[in-house]
Amino acid sequence: MTEATNVNESVDVTDVLLNPQVQNSLNTVLENLPQLASILTALTKDEETLASLVTVVDSLPTLAKVVHLVDRVYRAAEDAVTDGDTLEGLTKMAQGYVQPCLGTVQKGRQAFEIAKERAEKDQTRYSVFSLLKMLKDPNVQKALRFTQAMLDALGEVK
C-alpha cells in the first residue's frame, strides 16, 4: 500500500515539474541561488538578527494592515488636494477661522500706528501732578485695571 502511495506522489511531482511555469520558476531560483545564499547568510549571521527577522515575519499581518491604512489616507489626501472643489472648501473653511483674527490684528496694528504718530508729535512734559491728573482719566483707569489683571493672571500661571 505504501508503494502505491509513493507512485501516486511521484506522478504528481512529475506532473508539477512538467508544468512550464514551474520550470521557469525553478530556473529563476537556480539563477539567483548565489544571491539568495548571501541573503540567507546575512539574515542568519547571529541570533539577534534571526530573532529580529522572526519578529518582523510575525508582525507582517499587522504591518500589512498599517500599510493598507496609510495607503488609504494617502489616496484620500491626494484626492482632496487634486480636487478643486474640496480644496476650495478647505480654503473657505480656513478663511472662516482666520478672518476674524486678522480683523482684530489689523485693528490693533492700526491703533498702534495712530498712537505712535501721536506720541511722536506730542512734546508734553509730564510731572508728578500731571500724572496724578491723568489717573482720573477713565481710559487710564481701564488700562491700569487691565494691566493689574494681566499681571495677576501671569502670576497664577507660573
Side-chain angles (χ1 to χ4, degrees):
M1 186 102 164
T2 57
E3 289 181 24
T5 305
N6 287 342
V7 170
N8 285 342
E9 287 177 7
S10 303
V11 171
D12 290 340
V13 171
T14 306
D15 289 341
V16 170
L17 290 174
L18 291 175
N19 184 341
Q21 290 177 333
V22 172
Q23 289 176 357
N24 286 338
S25 299
L26 284 172
N27 284 335
T28 303
V29 168
L30 289 173
E31 288 172 1
N32 295 320
L33 204 52
Q35 293 169 337
L36 292 172
S38 66
I39 291 171
L40 188 60
T41 302
L43 290 175
T44 58
K45 70 179 180 179
D46 60 7
E47 289 182 28
E48 185 180 347
T49 306
L50 190 58
S52 299
L53 179 63
V54 169
T55 303
V56 169
V57 170
D58 285 345
S59 301
L60 280 178
T62 305
L63 289 172
K65 289 177 185 176
V66 169
V67 168
H68 179 70
L69 288 174
V70 168
D71 182 54
R72 288 179 57 192
V73 168
Y74 172 77
R75 287 182 186 185
E78 185 179 39
D79 290 344
V81 169
T82 56
D83 182 26
D85 293 338
T86 305
L87 200 55
E88 185 178 330
L90 288 172
T91 303
K92 285 181 181 178
M93 184 178 70
Q95 285 177 348
Y97 288 113
V98 172
Q99 205 63 27
C101 296
L102 286 177
T104 304
V105 168
Q106 286 175 347
K107 286 179 185 177
R109 184 174 159 242
Q110 200 173 32
F112 175 79
E113 292 294 328
I114 291 170
K116 182 179 171 186
E117 286 178 22
R118 288 181 185 172
E120 287 175 358
K121 290 179 184 176
D122 191 6
Q123 298 296 324
T124 307
R125 290 208 172 269
Y126 292 101
S127 67
V128 173
F129 297 111
S130 62
L131 290 175
L132 289 173
K133 185 178 177 183
M134 289 170 93
L135 285 175
K136 293 180 182 180
D137 185 354
N139 289 326
V140 173
Q141 290 292 319
K142 185 177 178 181
L144 288 173
R145 282 192 296 274
F146 177 78
T147 304
Q148 184 63 48
M150 179 63 84
L151 292 172
D152 291 342
L154 288 173
E156 291 172 6
V157 172
K158 286 182 181 179

